[in-house]
Structures are given as C-alpha cells and as structure tokens.
C-alpha cells in the first residue's frame, strides 16, 4: 500500500501497527511512530491523544466486524454451504490482512488496560451475527433447529484455530493447507446442519 496516498490518520495507524508488531508496544515511542508516518509527534497527539488510543483506533479500523456486518447484510444467498464458504473465506482474508494486528493483540493485551475487552468485541459481534443467520436459516427450513449460538461458536473456533495454526508461519500440520481445509470443513459443517 502506497502510504503517500493515505491521509495522516491512516499513515499513523499503519506506522504504529508495523513498529509495534516489530518491536513490541513498550519498544516503540510516539516520536518513532510519527517519524515512520512522515508526520510530527504533535500531529499524532492531536489526532489520537496517546499511543494506546492510536493502537485502539487501529484495531477498531482494521479488524473484521464492520466487513462481516456488510457481508451478512449484502452478500448472502441463503444457501448454507455457499454462505458459510463465503464467511470462512472472508474471515481468513481479513485475519491474514490483519496478521500484525492479531499478533499485537495476543502479545500486548496484558499490558494495555481495557485492550482485551476492546479486541473481544469483534468476535462477540461475529458470534451474534452468525447466530442470527443460523436462526433465520432454521426458520426458513434450510437448517435443523438446534442450538444456533453453539453452532456459530463452533464454526468460529474452527476457523480461528486454522488461522492460529498459520499465524507465525509455523505450520503445525504441514500437510493441511488453508484452502482445502476451508472447502472440506464448510462442506462437513453444512452437511451436518442441513435438514
């Protein structure tokens, strides 16, 4: 991404993500972030107030809840396997694009007050959206009426586990690649829930 075409806020957000992912939250100063973004430290403070608020803004801006809301409101075809395949592929696309953000949230959450709650709101929103989708699919007779929240949670954990396996490029299961995993797991999941 050509950062010269980005606004100052986005340049600061991306600089913060890159530096914090490389050096850790405490290893980076606001001056370094501003310099990396080609801006003054004063601009950083004027726009975000602090390094923590900058990181929180980056998380809110780049995590997946908004994109997933849009997917569920605009792109569903109400076919269980097709919809879940789209959700799964989109989830992995977003998570891989935000790899640095996820690494930061895993490493730094204990040092930043309120950060865990902030990062947890995205999976909670996805759980709610997916649960509502399963309820609607059940009402339409396209899915067995069982426990929609548990199915949503299971689907999310299946995808999160696959993402975590590849997070640091340390493939614990080297013979299983992501694309075939997505295809097969969605097929199994959909087959189990269809009437």
């Amino acid at each position: 991404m050509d950062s010269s075409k980005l606004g100052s806020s986005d340049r600061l957000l991306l600089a913060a993500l890159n530096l914090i992912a490389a050096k850790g939250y405490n290893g980076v100063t606001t001056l370094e972030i501003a310099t990396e973004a080609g801006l003054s430290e004063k601009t950083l403070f004027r726009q975000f107030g602090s390094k923590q608020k900058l990181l929180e803004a980056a998380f809110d801006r780049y995590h997946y809840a908004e994109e997933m809301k849009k997917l569920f409101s605009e792109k569903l075809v109400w076919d269980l396997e097709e919809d879940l395949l789209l959700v799964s592929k989109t989830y992995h696309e977003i998570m891989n694009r935000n790899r640095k953000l996820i690494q930061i949230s895993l490493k730094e959450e204990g040092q930043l007050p309120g950060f865990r709650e902030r990062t947890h709101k995205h999976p909670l929103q996805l759980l709610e959206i997916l649960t509502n989708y399963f309820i609607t699919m059940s009402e339409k007779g396209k899915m067995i009426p069982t426990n929609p929240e548990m199915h949503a949670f299971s689907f999310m954990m299946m995808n999160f586990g696959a993402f975590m396996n590849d997070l640091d490029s340390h493939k614990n299961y080297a013979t299983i690649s992501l694309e075939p995993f997505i295809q097969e797991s969605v097929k199994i999941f959909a087959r189990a829930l269809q009437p």
Side-chain angles (χ1 to χ4, degrees), residues 39-59:
L39 299 163
S40 71
E41 191 176 26
K42 187 176 172 181
T43 301
L44 183 151
F45 286 121
R46 187 173 51 245
Q47 289 188 10
F48 296 101
S50 70
K51 183 169 57 169
Q52 182 172 341
K53 289 203 183 315
L54 173 62
L55 184 57
E56 289 170 356
F59 204 88

Side-chain angles (χ1 to χ4, degrees), residues 43-95:
T43 301
L44 183 151
F45 286 121
R46 187 173 51 245
Q47 289 188 10
F48 296 101
S50 70
K51 183 169 57 169
Q52 182 172 341
K53 289 203 183 315
L54 173 62
L55 184 57
E56 289 170 356
F59 204 88
D60 289 344
R61 167 85 165 76
Y62 295 111
H63 215 317
Y64 61 72
E66 288 308 311
E67 281 184 72
M68 281 298 189
K69 279 184 200 168
K70 188 173 175 150
L71 179 148
F72 276 87
S73 68
E74 297 175 7
K75 296 185 179 176
L76 297 181
V77 295
W78 302 102
D79 174 275
L80 190 59
E81 188 172 337
E82 203 173 321
D83 289 344
L84 291 180
L85 194 56
L86 178 63
V87 170
S88 190
K89 286 181 176 184
T90 304
Y91 174 86
H92 285 284
E93 237 174 67
I94 296 167
M95 293 294 276

Side-chain angles (χ1 to χ4, degrees), residues 112-161:
L112 302 168
F115 197 67
R116 181 174 180 76
E117 292 77 16
R118 183 177 219 97
T119 59
H120 194 59
K121 80 176 185 181
H122 293 274
L124 285 174
Q125 286 175 331
L126 180 56
L127 179 64
E128 182 182 341
I129 294 167
L130 199 51
T131 299
N132 289 335
Y133 168 75
F134 286 151
I135 290 168
T136 303
M137 286 296 281
S138 180
E139 289 168 352
K140 289 176 178 273
K142 296 183 176 194
M143 191 175 133
I144 57 173
T146 55
N147 187 337
E149 185 177 45
M150 189 58 71
H151 294 314
F153 183 74
S154 298
F155 187 77
M156 287 174 57
M157 290 301 103
M158 174 180 76
N159 282 286
F160 181 68

Side-chain angles (χ1 to χ4, degrees), residues 167-179:
L167 183 60
D168 290 317
S169 299
H170 301 300
K171 295 189 178 199
N172 296 317
Y173 305 96
T175 60
I176 299 173
S177 58
L178 187 61
E179 187 58 34

